Amino acid sequence: MKPIIELSKVNFKYQEDDERQALTDVSLNVYEGEWLAVIGHNGSGKSTLAKTINGLIVPSSGDVVVEGLPMNEENVWNIRKKIGMVFQNPDNQFVGSTVEDDVAFGLENHGIPREDMLRIVKESLEKVRMTDFAKKEPVRLSGGQKQRVAIAGVVALSPDVIILDEATSMLDPEGRMEVIKTIQEIRDEKNITVISITHDIDEAANATRVLVMREGRVFKDGLPEEIFSAGQDLIEMGLDLPFPEKLKMEMRAQGMDVPADYMSEERMVEWLWTSALNK
Amino acid sequence: MTDKLIFGRYMPGDSVIHRMDPRTKLLCSFYFIGIIFLCNNFASYALMFAFTLMAIFLSKVDLKFFIRGVKPMIWLILFTVILQLFFTQGGKVYWQWGVFSLTEFGVQNALFIFCRFVLIIFMSTLLTLTTPPLSLSDAIEALLRPLKVIKFPAHEVSLMLSIALRFVPTLMDETEKIMNAQRARGVDFNDGNLMDKMKAIVPLLIPLFISSFNRAEELATAMEARGYQGGDGRTKYRQLKWEMRDTVCVLVFALLTVALIFLRK
């Protein structure tokens, strides 16, 4: 399978005289249809990585290729058309004065004729279940609703890749669930690749692949099962564990015998009740 | 905070005036302020009042909102009116004391000035009460567009205007949050003399400025990520439509001008 995004040996420094590089020798392939979760503590280069992918940051060395297009001045706008980004702060990415204006903003930028815009805006709002709010102003919306509008704005452009740059970190658990559910539905429908930069370990546990960043380098890259079974390592790095793994650790501390391999919530439940039966 | 201000506030509604093109409304309001200076006798002011009251009636907004709109300006109006009243010379003299005099022309002028103020405030309040800020910024953009010929950045100005409008409530919220946070840490915003009050503003102003810079940075990044490359080659989602009622409005204004010129002596 051909990767949709290829990064090879990417290096980046914010300032010339910075001692530490924000990204060091990052090489990464992302394949079509993947849900890639990028985790790591603050300052590990996660957000910088996201900005490199859609050309908001130009690496000092190394290559970025998106769908066969090498990132350069000529291609950058075409690449941005293929990659939609949802940022952290719901207020600071709301450009339009009302919900529908905000969804239309990206379409306006790409010179889509007005008749098409009216249709696409309506469809996109339906997808994120915000149709009733089309005429509302941002002050009247909750954080989760604003993030859903941001997703609608991205979906309107029908990108191949959606990058969530800590898109749920300022939301309450309910808003977070809503946003993730919306993204999952859209992904199932259109087979979009999702790159999710997150501190929410449970969200990462549901990804198809997890990338752990540390001090600007790719520290680990693998299936969630592989990453999270290395429990102690992650905790030493200051990262959290998914709930079933935490439970396993506690049980082990109590002297119980638990399997070493990673378990999702469902498998954990299954194991718990079968092990109780076997006793 | 926003609820106390009548000026610049929008009252949702569905009257003829509400549905009019914002461009017409904006231009006509300016035009109205221009032709009010044509009035120079009681008949012409009466006509203007009749016209304004009719417009207010058509807008179906309660008259008390307009009167409330005059209130914040009342001291300025009274000040001007009193100056006119006591310092204008000419005509029959009713009363005199030193430099102060109450004359026929003085009373007349004072009355006219009062009417002029009230009419202008009524008309501009009518504009803001019946037009959402958003449509106003659309109108301003549409009206600025011809200026592109002389290299005026019409798109940029209108984008700044609409972003500014969109962020007013957000920043108001934030101001209140910072104020409360500083109050919780012992900053007193109300007491003390002028100097103390000014000093108390600093811990409010600096965080507000810094957070605005951060907002601007993030907003610019988000805009770029969504393909914003400046005004060229953009299409527009909202569109203004000129309709029959706008033509009628312009005709009414033309008639009004003719009538005023005729009434003028």
Side-chain angles (χ1 to χ4, degrees):
Chain A
M1 203 156 78
K2 210 176 150 26
I4 192 164
I5 296 168
E6 292 167 80
L7 268 69
S8 47
K9 298 246 169 223
V10 169
N11 284 287
F12 180 75
K13 258 185 193 181
Y14 276 97
Q15 253 109 39
E16 274 301 310
D17 51 350
D18 272 357
E19 271 174 43
R20 221 162 45 88
Q21 297 207 107
L23 294 177
T24 315
D25 283 339
V26 174
S27 296
L28 170 71
N29 285 342
V30 183
Y31 298 92
E32 205 183 321
E34 266 190 319
W35 182 305
L36 175 70
V38 183
I39 58 173
H41 52 80
N42 287 334
S44 60
K46 306 185 300 288
S47 295
T48 315
L49 180 72
K51 285 181 183 156
T52 318
I53 294 173
N54 82 341
L56 290 166
I57 278 174
V58 183
S60 41
S61 70
D63 295 312
V64 180
V65 180
V66 178
E67 291 185 27
L69 293 172
M71 178 76 69
N72 55 32
E73 214 142 294
E74 226 174 285
N75 290 336
V76 69
W77 294 105
N78 281 327
I79 289 174
R80 278 183 197 159
K81 242 186 234 181
K82 300 176 195 297
I83 300 178
M85 248 180 130
V86 181
F87 294 91
Q88 181 176 23
N89 189 321
D91 253 321
N92 293 358
Q93 58 179 318
F94 206 110
V95 188
S97 326
T98 64
V99 167
E100 48 176 4
D101 283 304
D102 191 63
V103 177
F105 179 76
L107 299 167
E108 289 180 326
N109 292 337
H110 291 126
I112 312 285
R114 187 162 181 270
E115 302 79 60
D116 297 340
M117 258 200 273
L118 293 172
R119 180 177 51 80
I120 299 171
V121 168
K122 208 169 146 253
E123 285 172 3
S124 312
L125 285 175
E126 263 163 35
K127 274 202 193 98
V128 301
R129 298 180 299 279
M130 288 291 288
T131 313
D132 298 341
F133 298 88
K135 306 263 180 225
K136 289 268 194 303
E137 287 143 33
V139 245
R140 314 238 171 268
L141 305 178
S142 73
Q145 286 171 333
K146 273 180 235 177
Q147 288 302 63
R148 265 152 63 197
V149 174
I151 294 169
V154 162
V155 169
L157 297 170
S158 52
D160 302 328
V161 182
I162 293 182
I163 301 179
L164 307 171
D165 188 356
E166 298 190 29
T168 57
S169 64
M170 288 178 84
L171 304 181
D172 55 13
E174 201 182 321
R176 191 174 297 183
M177 286 271 290
E178 253 176 23
V179 167
I180 293 298
K181 217 179 112 209
T182 311
I183 292 272
Q184 261 159 356
E185 281 168 15
I186 290 161
R187 178 173 172 260
D188 290 345
E189 191 184 326
K190 293 189 162 182
N191 192 34
I192 291 173
T193 311
V194 177
I195 301 176
S196 157
I197 290 159
T198 182
H199 282 290
D200 185 5
I201 292 301
D202 296 310
E203 186 191 321
N206 290 322
T208 59
R209 188 175 144 207
V210 178
L211 188 78
V212 185
M213 296 280 293
R214 184 185 195 178
E215 285 165 6
R217 292 171 188 273
V218 176
F219 181 64
K220 269 188 180 156
D221 180 356
L223 301 171
E225 294 84 358
E226 295 163 20
I227 302 287
F228 292 118
S229 55
Q232 206 54 43
D233 279 5
L234 288 179
I235 289 175
E236 269 158 33
M237 275 177 62
L239 287 172
D240 211 358
L241 286 177
F243 179 70
E245 289 297 310
K246 269 192 224 162
L247 184 63
K248 264 165 58 181
M249 284 190 70
E250 288 296 321
M251 288 172 74
R252 216 171 277 143
Q254 300 277 328
M256 278 181 239
D257 187 28
V258 281
D261 56 329
Y262 169 82
M263 285 193 275
S264 66
E265 222 159 290
E266 278 152 52
R267 276 195 55 205
M268 188 77 192
V269 172
E270 208 165 289
W271 178 80
L272 275 173
W273 75 262
T274 47
S275 71
L277 263 169
N278 287 342
K279 254 176 210 169
Chain B
M1 212 159 168
T2 31
D3 289 339
K4 284 178 206 150
L5 282 167
I6 281 290
F7 191 76
R9 207 175 126 198
Y10 168 64
M11 298 277 293
D14 192 33
S15 66
V16 189
I17 309 260
H18 277 93
R19 270 176 281 141
M20 243 158 59
D21 192 307
R23 285 172 297 182
T24 326
K25 281 192 268 189
L26 190 66
L27 280 185
C28 285
S29 307
F30 279 121
Y31 185 68
F32 181 87
I33 293 169
I35 57 173
I36 212 163
F37 291 97
L38 282 176
C39 298
N40 64 352
N41 56 26
F42 285 108
S44 50
Y45 273 109
L47 176 68
M48 286 301 254
F49 254 109
F51 176 79
T52 311
L53 288 177
M54 187 193 75
I56 289 174
F57 173 73
L58 280 178
S59 77
K60 292 182 186 153
V61 179
D62 205 332
L63 193 65
K64 71 170 190 256
F65 284 109
F66 293 88
I67 292 166
R68 242 195 271 167
V70 176
K71 263 186 196 160
M73 302 284 279
I74 198 72
W75 295 112
L76 181 69
I77 298 173
L78 284 182
F79 179 70
T80 329
V81 165
I82 286 168
L83 276 187
Q84 287 286 333
L85 197 59
F86 289 114
F87 290 103
T88 314
Q89 307 292 333
K92 223 185 276 167
V93 179
Y94 301 120
W95 175 79
Q96 193 153 25
W97 184 74
V99 284
F100 301 101
S101 59
L102 200 63
T103 64
E104 192 188 343
F105 282 11
V107 174
Q108 204 182 1
N109 260 352
L111 261 177
F112 285 172
I113 293 272
F114 181 75
C115 290
R116 205 176 278 170
F117 262 115
V118 170
L119 283 171
I120 289 175
I121 293 170
F122 273 17
M123 215 24 140
S124 43
T125 314
L126 182 68
L127 172 73
T128 54
L129 281 182
T130 60
T131 322
L134 219 61
S135 317
L136 267 185
S137 83
D138 286 343
I140 293 171
E141 177 178 9
L143 294 172
L144 287 178
R145 213 170 291 147
L147 291 181
K148 261 191 177 161
V149 185
I150 56 162
K151 297 260 162 77
F152 184 82
H155 164 75
E156 282 78 3
V157 169
S158 76
L159 182 77
M160 279 195 280
L161 200 66
S162 66
I163 289 178
L165 279 173
R166 173 246 168 285
F167 272 99
V168 167
T170 313
L171 288 178
M172 289 259 240
D173 275 357
E174 182 158 25
T175 311
E176 204 147 321
K177 258 186 224 158
I178 299 175
M179 259 177 125
N180 287 337
Q182 300 291 29
R183 269 197 198 113
R185 301 167 66 189
V187 176
D188 192 347
F189 286 105
N190 294 320
D191 285 338
N193 57 29
L194 195 64
M195 205 54 199
D196 290 337
K197 274 188 188 166
M198 269 160 65
K199 271 187 196 152
I201 294 289
V202 176
L204 171 66
L205 224 48
I206 290 178
L208 200 58
F209 261 112
I210 291 174
S211 98
S212 301
F213 279 120
N214 289 337
R215 270 183 206 284
E217 171 109 39
E218 278 181 35
L219 185 71
T221 312
M223 283 170 72
E224 226 179 295
R226 287 168 73 180
Y228 179 76
Q229 296 180 69
D232 297 331
R234 274 189 109 226
T235 43
K236 284 206 58 97
Y237 181 69
R238 2 179 100 251
Q239 244 161 19
L240 300 172
K241 228 166 103 203
W242 186 272
E243 274 178 80
M244 194 55 203
R245 50 178 166 265
D246 300 300
T247 319
V248 171
C249 172
V250 169
L251 285 177
V252 169
F253 262 92
L255 272 176
L256 184 72
T257 318
V258 173
L260 276 182
I261 292 171
F262 183 73
L263 282 174
R264 212 176 131 88
K265 270 180 263 176

